[in-house]
Amino acid sequence: KKSCYSDTALISSAFLSKVFHVPLEERKYKDINQFGEGDQAKVCVDIMHKTGAHLELSLAKDQGLSIMVSGKLDAVMKARKEIVSRLQTQASATVAIPKEHHRFVIGKNGEKLQELELKTATKIQIPRPEDPSNQIKISGTKEGLEKAKHEILLISAEQVSFPPLKKKKKFSFVYCTKCFVDNFLSLSLEVKKSQHKYVIGPKGNTLQEILDKTGSKMRSYLMLFFFLFQANSYTVSSVSAPSWLHRFIIGKKGQNLAKITQQMPKVHIEFTEGEDKITLEGPTKDVQMVQSQIQAIVTDLVSRMDYAEISVDPKFHRHLIGKGGVNINRIKELHKVTVRIPPDNEKSNLIRIEGDPQGVQEAKKELLELASRMENERTKDLIIEQRFHRAIIGQKGEKIKEVRDKFPEVIINFPDPAQKSDIVQLRGPRTEVEKCSNALTESDFSDQVENSFSVSVPIFKQFHRNIIGKGGSNIKKIREETNTKIDLPAENSNSEMIIITGKKANCEAARNRILAIQKELANITEVDVSIPSKLHNSLIGSKGRLVRSIMEECGGVHIHFPTEGSGIDKVTIRGPVEEVEKAKQQLLALAEEKQTKSHTAELHAKPEYHKFLIGKGGGNIRKVRDSTGARIIFPTAEDKDQELITVVGTEEAVREAQKELEELIRSLDNVVEDTMTVDPKHHRYFVARRGQVLRDLADEYGGVMVSFPRTGSQSETVILKGAKDCVEAAKKRMQEIVEDLDAQVTVECVIPQKFHRSIMGPKGSRIQQITRDHNVQIKFPEREDPQGNGGVIAEKKVREPADPNAPKKCDVIVISGRKERCEAAVEALKALVPVTIEVEVPFELHRYIIGQKGSGIRKMMDEFEVNIQVPAPDQQSDKISITGLANHLDRAKDGLLERVKELQAEQEDRALRSFKLTITVDPKYHPKIIGRKGAIITNIRTEHDVNIQFPEKNDENQDQITITGYEHKAIAARDAIQAIVDDLEGMVSEDITLDSRVHARIIGARGKGIRKIMDEFKVDLRFPQSGAADPNTVTVTGRPELVDEAIDHLLNLEEEYVSSSLLRTINQRRPVGDNDKFAQAPVFLAPDMSSSEDFPSFGAPVAAKASPWGPKRF
C-alpha cells in the first residue's frame, strides 16, 4: 500500500495502475508543442521496454505531467524510479542519524536499502563503516527526498529501547509503535496502527512539533492530548463500488482520478482488484468531499451501465477476436460495449462484456451465436504438396475463388510459402468442410497431383547421348509409350540425373527402360544388398552426407534406398563392376558397425582447412581412413555448420581418426611465415582481377595469405603466411605458375566477329570453361566500328591502308599460355564456331514442321540446341537452314528428316483415308438404316472406321449416301448398308383388323408383350394412334412367311382374350340390365404407336425404358 504523502492512486495487489504527477517546474522536458513526440516520448518508450510496465501520459490544467503506470507491482515500482530519474529534475539533501543505526537502513544484503530506493524513487548514499560521518545523502525529486528522510528517521526511531514502566497508570497498554520517555515516567497510549503515520507526520515533523509544544517537564501528559488530536484529525473511509467499474472511475489514462487527486492531494485513493470497494485515507474533511464525489460517479455508472459474463472454450477465443481483432472490434463498435477476452496464459473460459445494458445483451447474444457456430465447426488438414498450391490458387486467385464462392462458409488457409508446408487447412461447418474437401480432392487438382510424381534416375554422363538416340528417337519413343515427361541435364552441366515426371507407374516403367539402355551399353552391373530398413536412415546420414561420401569414393556408383516407411530391406547399387563391389563392402561394413558398436564423434576446423585436410584427389583423408578404419564426412555447401567434421566408425577407430585429424588441424593452426622470389613482371598475373588467383590459392591451401610488394617497388620478395604445410604447398604451386608464365606464348585465333557472342555462351560460360580446362588466358578484340569503316571504335587515328589479305583486327582472338595448351584452346574455340547447313524439305510440309504457334520448330530447336530457319512463304523455297555447333548439326538434321518422313507418311495416310463412294438408297429406308438414336449407322461407322454422310433436306439427290475412308473399308460399309436395304426391300406389309379393346393386352406392360412377338416372329407391328379413323387396324411388316405367322398368332390372341378372360372381365364390369354385349365395356386405349421408344424400328436394338425407381425386376 501507498504512503500517506503520495498523490497517486493504487489499483490491485498483483496488477497495479498508479498515477504519478510531475509539476511543471520539475519537468525535464517542458516543450508543450512536442507533447507525445520528441525526447520525452522516446524516454517513455524506453522505460516501457526496460521495465515491462505500460505508460500513459496526459497534461493537467497546470501543465503538470500526469503519468499512469500499469503493470505488476515490481514493474510499476521500477518504472516509477525511472520516471523520477529521467523525466523529473533532481535535488539532494542529507539526514543525520546515529552511526550505529546505518546498518538497519541498509538491511540484510542491502535489501532494505534497495527497497527504500525503489519505494521513494531516490538514490541513497550511506557512508562506509570506516567513515565517521553520520550524514546520509539522498538525491531525487523533492517529494522523494521527503519520503526517504521520513522513512530513514522512522527506521532510526524504531531502534530506541525503553526501560519497563515503574509506575502504573490508568491507561491501556495494548499497542504502540513508539514510546516516548522522560526521566521519571513511561506511558503507553493505544493508537490505531493505520493512524501512526499521521502522528509522526512527513519527515517526522509532526512528532517533533508535539515534543516542542509539550515542553520538558509536563511532556508525557500533554503528549497524550496532542497524539489523540493528531491521530483523529485523519480518517480512513471506503466507497462501495463493483470492482468491474473501477477502471471507468479511474478514466482513460487516469484522467478522472487525476482531477480528484489534484483538488485533494492529501487524500489517498486505493483500488484493490477483486474487491467491491474503494479505500480513502486522509484528512477527515477532504476524505468526506472525495467520498461524495466518487459516490456520485459510482451512482451514475451503475444507473447507465451493466455487465455480463459468458463461458466460451478458450480454443475459440482467437476466432472470436478475428484476424487483427476485426471481429471483436466490429462487435464493440456496433453495440458500444467493451469486451474482455482473457489472454491465452490465463486458461479462463469467462468473457466479460461491459457497457450499455441493451448493447451488453445484444453483444452477448452475438458472441454466443458465434461460439455455437464454432462448436459445430470442424478443422481438416489436407496434405497437398506445396508446389501445387499455386496451381490450385490460380493466377490472381481465380481458381480458389470459385471454390470459396461455392463453399462460402468454409475458410481455406494455405501456408506461407516460406514455411514450406504441405498442409492446407479447411475450417467451417462439418458437412461443408467435407464437401469442400471432396471437391478439392476429386477435382482436376488431384489429377494434376497424380500426374506430377517425379523420380530421378542417375545415368552416367557418357550414355546420355545414347538415351536420347538418333534425332531424339529413343527418348521420344519412351516419352510417348510411357506417357511421361523426361528432362535431361544440359550438356555443359555436371549433373547425371535424368528427371522423369508423370504417374507413378508410368515413371517406374520409363525408369526401367532408361536403366536397361545403360546396362546394354556399358559394363554396368546392378547388385541388391539386404540391409535392415531400420538402419537406412543412419546409413544415409544427415541430408545424405554418409551415403554420398561412399558414392564419391567408389567412382560415382549410384546407391538407391527404398522409400522411407516401406519396410523394404533391399538397397540397390549400380555402376561399374569393380566399384559396385567396393561400395557393397563399404556399405555392409558400415551397416555392421551401426548394428553392433557404431560410434560418432564431431570436431571443428575452419572451412578453408577442409580442402587441405582432404588433399588432392582425397589422398590425405584416404590415408587417415585406411589407417584407422573410420569414415570422415565433411560438410556440404547446404549444411549450416560449415566447420563441422563428422567421424563415424567403431569407438577405437573414431578415437584414432579424431586424434590424427586434431593433430593435422593443430599443425594448420601453427602459423608460419615464409618468402619466395617472383619476377616483378609476373606480379600482375597474381593480383589481376581483384586477386582472383590469390583467392583460389587461399581456398585450395588452407587460407594461406600471400602478400606481393607494392606496385613500382621493383621488389621480388613475396611473403606467404599460414599453416606450415599449407605454405609449403602454396609456395610449390606458385613456382609452377611462374614456370608456366615463363614458358608462356601468345597465339592468335581468327574467327569472324559475328560468331564471338555465340562462342562466349551465356554470361561467358563457354569461354570460362575453356580457360579452366586448358589453363590459358583468352582475350577477345574490341567490336568493329558499326559504320563499317573497318576500324575499331576506340581507335580514331588514321592509319595507312592495311594488307587486304590480313585478318581484321576485330576477328583476332588472342590466347596466352603454354604452347601446347594454347593450341588445344584454339581447337576448342573453333569447335564452338556455329556452322550452317541446308536441308531439303518440301515446301508444303513447312507449316506442319513449324507447328501451331511455332511449337513444333521450337521443340526441335530446344531438343537439338540449334537454330532452325524456315524460309518465308512467299519464297516458295524447299530449303530449311540449320545453324549450330558441328557436333549438334548431324543430330538436328536427322531429327528434321525423321519429322519429314512422319509428315509424308501422314500425308499418304490422309490421301488413302479420303477415298469416297456413293450408294443410292430410297429415302424411305434412311430412318431404318440410321436406327433409333443413330444406333445402326453409328455401329457401321465404328466397325468400318468410315464417315457416312446422309443428304441434307435441301439436297437435290435425296437418295445419295456418301461414304468416306480407306477404300476397302468404304466398300465393306457400303455392303453392310446394302444388306440392310435388301432386307427392307424383301419385306411386305399387311393390315389386319384387331379389336381395339385387346390392343393394350397384346402390347403388355411397357410394351413387353409386343416386343416379345416382334422378336419371336422377326416382324414390325404398328398399332393405330389415338383418334385414328379405324382404331382396329394393325400393320404387320416383315418377310412374307413371317408376316403370315405373326398375323395368325395375333388373331389367335384376339380370339383368346375376347372369348375368355377379357370378356369375363368386361361382363363383370357391365351394368345390370344392359343387353348390349360391348356397349358398356371399359375402353382400353392403345399406346402411341409413333413413339420410337415404345415401338422401335424393325431390326434396331431396343433399350429398356428408364424408370425413376430403377430397373424393374420380373
Side-chain angles (χ1 to χ4, degrees):
K1 292 186 179 180
K2 294 178 56 59
S3 168
C4 64
Y5 294 95
S6 169
D7 59 350
T8 61
L10 174 65
I11 301 176
S12 114
S13 55
F15 187 87
L16 303 177
S17 290
K18 286 192 175 185
V19 179
F20 300 109
H21 189 71
V22 181
L24 177 63
E25 61 273 11
E26 294 184 17
R27 285 178 56 189
K28 270 190 180 180
Y29 306 99
K30 298 181 181 179
D31 189 351
I32 299 171
N33 296 327
Q34 285 196 346
F35 181 74
E37 55 186 46
D39 294 336
Q40 180 175 273
K42 291 178 183 176
V43 169
C44 291
V45 170
D46 186 53
I47 292 172
M48 286 194 287
H49 288 164
K50 202 172 186 179
T51 63
H54 179 70
L55 274 62
E56 294 183 4
L57 279 68
S58 60
L59 277 178
K61 290 180 180 178
D62 61 356
Q63 298 304 317
L65 189 64
S66 292
I67 306 169
M68 184 173 181
V69 186
S70 305
K72 293 188 177 179
L73 178 60
D74 57 340
V76 171
M77 299 309 291
K78 287 177 184 176
R80 176 192 176 198
K81 185 176 179 181
E82 291 286 331
I83 289 167
V84 167
S85 64
R86 299 175 67 178
L87 295 179
Q88 202 165 352
T89 55
Q90 304 293 297
S92 62
T94 58
V95 60
I97 63 170
K99 184 77 175 178
E100 59 270 19
H101 293 175
H102 285 193
R103 64 191 182 91
F104 298 105
V105 177
I106 296 171
K108 187 178 180 181
N109 296 327
E111 292 176 358
K112 187 70 176 178
L113 181 61
Q114 291 176 8
E115 181 185 350
L116 194 57
E117 287 182 334
L118 198 61
K119 186 177 179 181
T120 61
T122 58
K123 178 67 178 176
I124 302 172
Q125 295 178 348
I126 298 176
R128 299 183 65 80
E130 59 270 15
D131 188 344
S133 172
N134 64 352
Q135 299 287 330
I136 297 176
K137 186 177 181 181
I138 311 166
S139 58
T141 63
K142 290 180 181 179
E143 181 189 3
L145 293 178
E146 291 179 0
K147 292 179 187 176
K149 286 170 70 176
H150 169 64
E151 296 291 341
I152 291 170
L153 287 171
L154 278 181
I155 293 169
S156 178
E158 286 174 355
Q159 312 314 315
V160 179
S161 62
F162 302 98
L165 293 173
K166 296 180 180 179
K167 189 173 181 180
K168 295 183 180 179
K169 292 291 178 180
K170 294 180 181 179
F171 291 101
S172 174
F173 301 91
V174 179
Y175 182 88
C176 186
T177 304
K178 302 285 176 251
C179 293
F180 298 94
V181 186
D182 58 17
N183 294 331
F184 306 100
L185 182 65
S186 283
L187 295 175
S188 292
L189 175 67
E190 181 180 1
V191 178
K192 289 182 181 179
K193 186 176 182 181
S194 61
Q195 294 178 316
H196 290 180
K197 53 192 173 187
Y198 309 130
V199 175
I200 296 166
K203 299 186 289 183
N205 290 341
T206 306
L207 183 61
Q208 188 61 45
E209 288 174 10
I210 293 172
L211 294 174
D212 293 341
K213 288 177 182 179
T214 56
S216 58
K217 297 293 184 180
M218 299 298 293
R219 178 178 296 177
S220 300
Y221 299 103
L222 292 173
M223 226 190 295
L224 297 175
F225 171 75
F226 283 108
F227 278 0
L228 292 172
F229 175 79
Q230 187 67 27
N232 291 326
S233 66
Y234 282 82
T235 186
V236 178
S237 183
S238 64
V239 179
S240 295
S243 59
W244 65 273
L245 285 177
H246 287 185
R247 63 191 188 88
F248 298 103
I249 297 168
I250 295 169
K252 189 175 181 181
K253 298 183 180 180
Q255 288 177 352
N256 296 346
L257 204 59
K259 292 176 184 177
I260 299 173
T261 56
Q262 285 171 17
Q263 294 172 3
M264 305 291 179
K266 292 185 179 180
V267 177
H268 313 290
I269 307 168
E270 180 180 326
F271 295 79
T272 306
E273 187 178 18
E275 292 187 11
D276 294 336
K277 69 175 184 177
I278 303 169
T279 304
L280 311 175
E281 294 182 16
T284 305
K285 185 183 285 188
D286 292 355
V287 166
Q288 289 173 352
M289 291 181 68
V290 172
Q291 186 174 5
S292 63
Q293 290 181 31
I294 293 178
Q295 187 63 56
I297 295 172
V298 171
T299 304
D300 177 59
L301 289 173
V302 168
S303 66
R304 61 186 177 83
M305 297 194 73
D306 193 7
Y307 79 94
E309 290 182 342
I310 59 175
S311 180
V312 177
D313 195 318
K315 67 183 179 182
F316 300 132
H317 288 182
R318 64 189 183 92
H319 303 301
L320 290 177
I321 295 169
K323 190 174 183 181
V326 63
N327 292 346
I328 204 69
N329 289 339
R330 180 187 59 79
I331 293 172
K332 287 178 180 178
E333 291 173 7
L334 180 64
H335 304 296
K336 308 298 182 187
V337 296
T338 58
V339 182
R340 185 187 179 277
I341 297 178
D344 294 340
N345 56 3
E346 287 188 16
K347 307 288 185 185
S348 173
N349 291 354
L350 286 180
I351 294 176
R352 190 180 181 92
I353 312 164
E354 299 168 355
D356 177 72
Q358 184 180 352
V360 167
Q361 293 305 316
E362 290 174 353
K364 177 182 176 181
K365 182 181 177 183
E366 185 169 349
L367 285 171
L368 286 173
E369 286 177 357
L370 280 172
S372 174
R373 197 182 311 156
M374 287 172 192
E375 286 176 358
N376 188 40
E377 277 191 350
R378 183 191 171 190
T379 299
K380 184 172 183 178
D381 291 340
L382 291 179
I383 307 299
I384 301 175
E385 287 186 58
Q386 192 184 38
R387 58 197 174 111
F388 302 121
H389 291 184
R390 186 179 295 277
I392 294 173
I393 295 168
Q395 191 175 12
K396 298 182 179 179
E398 72 278 0
K399 290 185 180 178
I400 200 64
K401 185 177 182 299
E402 291 177 8
V403 179
R404 285 178 172 145
D405 291 344
K406 191 175 180 181
F407 304 99
E409 295 183 58
V410 180
I411 298 171
I412 306 173
N413 289 325
F414 286 86
D416 192 299
Q419 295 176 358
K420 297 185 177 178
S421 171
D422 295 337
I423 297 175
V424 176
Q425 191 180 74
L426 309 180
R427 190 176 76 248
R430 192 179 302 274
T431 54
E432 291 298 302
V433 165
E434 287 300 325
K435 290 178 183 177
C436 183
S437 172
N438 293 336
L440 285 173
T441 53
E442 293 174 4
S443 64
D444 294 337
F445 307 141
S446 58
D447 295 338
Q448 189 175 5
V449 171
E450 185 183 5
N451 287 316
S452 62
F453 179 80
S454 181
V455 64
S456 298
V457 187
I459 299 294
F460 293 103
K461 192 76 175 179
Q462 61 266 34
F463 302 129
H464 284 198
R465 188 186 298 266
N466 306 93
I467 299 293
I468 294 169
K470 190 174 182 181
S473 57
N474 290 351
I475 200 71
K476 183 180 178 182
K477 187 176 181 182
I478 296 172
R479 283 170 177 157
E480 290 175 352
E481 293 182 1
T482 60
N483 193 24
T484 55
K485 179 186 176 186
I486 303 174
D487 295 318
L488 286 86
E491 277 194 10
N492 56 357
S493 169
N494 293 325
S495 173
E496 295 184 338
M497 289 295 179
I498 294 177
I499 300 171
I500 308 171
T501 308
K503 290 185 178 180
K504 186 175 181 180
N506 296 346
C507 289
E508 290 296 332
R511 176 176 174 270
N512 293 336
R513 291 185 61 169
I514 290 173
L515 290 174
I517 294 173
Q518 178 182 246
K519 197 170 183 180
E520 291 173 5
L521 292 169
N523 184 22
I524 301 297
T525 186
E526 187 176 293
V527 174
D528 292 334
V529 183
S530 181
I531 297 174
S533 57
K534 63 182 180 181
L535 297 177
H536 289 183
N537 281 343
S538 59
L539 292 176
I540 293 169
S542 176
K543 296 182 180 178
R545 291 169 62 196
L546 194 54
V547 74
R548 191 165 53 246
S549 67
I550 296 175
M551 290 193 291
E552 289 172 358
E553 186 182 333
C554 298
V557 298
H558 301 129
I559 301 176
H560 175 70
F561 283 84
T563 308
E564 185 178 359
S566 64
I568 300 172
D569 295 340
K570 185 176 73 173
V571 179
T572 305
I573 308 172
R574 189 183 305 107
V577 178
E578 303 81 5
E579 301 299 336
V580 166
E581 188 61 31
K582 185 178 176 183
K584 177 183 175 182
Q585 297 303 325
Q586 289 198 25
L587 202 58
L588 289 173
L590 196 58
E592 187 178 354
E593 288 177 10
K594 291 284 182 185
Q595 262 183 315
T596 55
K597 46 188 176 180
S598 175
H599 190 72
T600 302
E602 294 178 349
L603 50 105
H604 290 77
K606 295 177 183 178
E608 55 265 29
Y609 291 169
H610 290 185
K611 285 187 179 179
F612 193 80
L613 290 172
I614 295 169
K616 192 172 183 179
N620 294 348
I621 211 67
R622 195 178 295 113
K623 288 178 185 177
V624 176
R625 193 186 62 251
D626 292 344
S627 63
T628 62
R631 178 168 296 281
I632 296 101
I633 303 169
F634 287 85
T636 62
E638 292 80 20
D639 292 336
K640 289 183 179 178
D641 191 349
Q642 288 294 306
E643 294 188 355
L644 181 66
I645 301 173
T646 307
V647 186
V648 181
T650 62
E651 187 174 358
E652 184 181 355
V654 167
R655 188 168 54 250
E656 290 179 7
Q658 188 176 4
K659 183 179 177 182
E660 287 192 31
L661 286 171
E662 285 173 348
E663 288 177 2
L664 280 171
I665 293 167
R666 274 196 298 272
S667 68
L668 292 174
D669 287 333
N670 181 23
V671 178
V672 298
E673 188 174 300
D674 197 359
T675 60
M676 65 179 292
T677 59
V678 177
D679 193 316
K681 67 181 180 181
H682 299 316
H683 289 189
R684 182 176 178 79
Y685 173 81
F686 288 96
V687 299
R689 291 176 295 149
R690 298 182 182 178
Q692 181 62 45
V693 176
L694 298 182
R695 284 200 299 273
D696 293 343
L697 286 170
D699 289 343
E700 190 171 352
Y701 299 105
V704 65
M705 294 175 60
V706 183
S707 300
F708 278 80
R710 289 187 178 180
T711 306
S713 64
Q714 297 301 316
S715 172
E716 297 182 349
T717 304
V718 177
I719 301 171
L720 294 87
K721 188 182 291 185
K724 185 177 180 181
D725 294 338
C726 294
V727 167
E728 290 297 326
K731 187 176 178 180
K732 184 178 178 182
R733 174 62 186 141
M734 287 180 68
Q735 287 170 346
E736 291 175 358
I737 292 172
V738 170
E739 289 176 7
D740 286 346
L741 292 173
D742 288 333
Q744 184 170 286
V745 296
T746 300
V747 175
E748 292 183 349
C749 177
V750 179
I751 296 176
Q753 190 185 34
K754 63 181 180 179
F755 298 128
H756 288 187
R757 187 184 296 275
S758 173
I759 291 170
M760 289 180 184
K763 297 182 181 179
S765 58
R766 291 176 177 171
I767 289 301
Q768 291 170 11
Q769 186 66 38
I770 294 173
T771 303
R772 284 194 299 269
D773 292 346
H774 302 285
N775 194 21
V776 295
Q777 289 184 319
I778 302 173
K779 183 179 180 182
F780 279 78
E782 295 178 353
R783 61 190 181 88
E784 189 178 14
D785 186 347
Q787 295 182 357
N789 297 328
V792 176
I793 291 175
E795 192 174 336
K796 294 183 178 180
K797 293 182 180 180
V798 179
R799 295 187 175 183
E800 294 181 2
D803 182 0
N805 297 323
K808 291 182 180 179
K809 189 175 181 180
C810 62
D811 295 339
V812 178
I813 301 172
V814 179
I815 307 169
S816 302
R818 284 184 176 268
K819 185 178 180 181
E820 60 278 9
R821 292 174 182 170
C822 289
E823 291 172 353
V826 168
E827 294 301 320
L829 283 173
K830 289 182 177 179
L832 292 176
V833 175
V835 180
T836 301
I837 61 171
E838 290 184 343
V839 182
E840 191 87 18
V841 177
F843 173 73
E844 62 270 14
L845 297 180
H846 287 190
R847 62 192 183 97
Y848 300 110
I849 288 172
I850 294 171
Q852 190 176 12
K853 296 183 179 179
S855 60
I857 199 166
R858 200 159 46 242
K859 181 181 178 183
M860 293 177 69
M861 288 194 293
D862 292 342
E863 184 176 348
F864 302 117
E865 298 181 46
V866 295
N867 181 44
I868 301 176
Q869 188 69 37
V870 179
D874 55 359
Q875 295 181 10
Q876 299 284 313
S877 173
D878 292 339
K879 303 288 185 182
I880 290 181
S881 301
I882 305 176
T883 304
L885 302 182
N887 56 346
H888 292 172
L889 291 180
D890 289 340
R891 286 177 49 229
K893 181 178 178 181
D894 293 342
L896 182 59
L897 292 175
E898 186 70 26
R899 178 62 179 150
V900 169
K901 287 181 182 177
E902 291 176 5
L903 292 171
Q904 288 174 339
E906 289 175 8
Q907 272 189 332
E908 293 174 4
D909 185 63
R910 277 196 298 273
L912 292 173
R913 289 179 65 90
S914 60
F915 176 79
K916 284 186 181 181
L917 59 82
T918 57
I919 180 173
T920 302
V921 177
D922 193 321
K924 68 180 180 180
Y925 297 134
H926 289 188
K928 304 288 185 181
I929 297 170
I930 294 171
R932 180 170 171 260
K933 295 183 179 180
I936 296 174
I937 200 66
T938 300
N939 188 40
I940 296 172
R941 284 172 177 154
T942 305
E943 183 180 350
H944 300 286
D945 190 22
V946 293
N947 180 34
I948 302 173
Q949 190 70 36
F950 284 82
E952 299 290 339
K953 288 183 179 180
N954 300 326
D955 287 352
E956 294 181 2
N957 301 319
Q958 286 292 313
D959 57 353
Q960 299 291 322
I961 298 176
T962 305
I963 306 172
T964 307
Y966 293 112
E967 184 177 358
H968 64 286
K969 291 185 176 182
I971 293 171
R974 182 196 62 189
D975 295 342
I977 293 173
Q978 189 62 52
I980 295 172
V981 172
D982 292 342
D983 287 341
L984 293 171
E985 288 177 343
M987 292 181 182
V988 296
S989 292
E990 288 191 24
D991 294 336
I992 63 170
T993 301
L994 283 180
D995 195 323
S996 60
R997 293 170 297 172
V998 300
H999 287 188
R1001 184 70 179 273
I1002 293 172
I1003 293 169
R1006 299 185 182 179
K1008 184 179 178 184
I1010 195 171
R1011 279 197 297 272
K1012 184 178 179 182
I1013 296 170
M1014 289 163 62
D1015 292 341
E1016 182 179 350
F1017 294 99
K1018 308 297 181 188
V1019 294
D1020 184 29
L1021 299 180
R1022 293 289 169 181
F1023 285 79
Q1025 296 183 15
S1026 177
D1030 186 0
N1032 297 324
T1033 302
V1034 176
T1035 303
V1036 184
T1037 305
R1039 293 188 176 278
E1041 64 277 11
L1042 297 177
V1043 167
D1044 293 340
E1045 291 178 6
I1047 290 173
D1048 291 342
H1049 181 69
L1050 288 171
L1051 293 174
N1052 289 336
L1053 284 176
E1054 179 194 28
E1055 184 179 355
E1056 179 183 348
Y1057 292 153
V1058 171
S1059 62
S1060 57
S1061 60
L1062 182 58
L1063 287 179
R1064 279 198 300 272
T1065 302
I1066 294 172
N1067 288 332
Q1068 288 172 1
R1069 295 183 182 180
R1070 184 166 50 87
V1072 179
D1074 191 347
N1075 295 321
D1076 187 356
K1077 187 176 181 180
F1078 295 108
Q1080 300 298 325
V1083 178
F1084 290 87
L1085 296 177
D1088 184 4
M1089 294 296 292
S1090 64
S1091 170
S1092 60
E1093 290 188 3
D1094 291 333
F1095 297 94
S1097 299
F1098 178 76
V1102 179
K1105 191 172 183 181
S1107 165
W1109 305 105
K1112 186 172 179 180
R1113 295 178 176 85
F1114 297 103

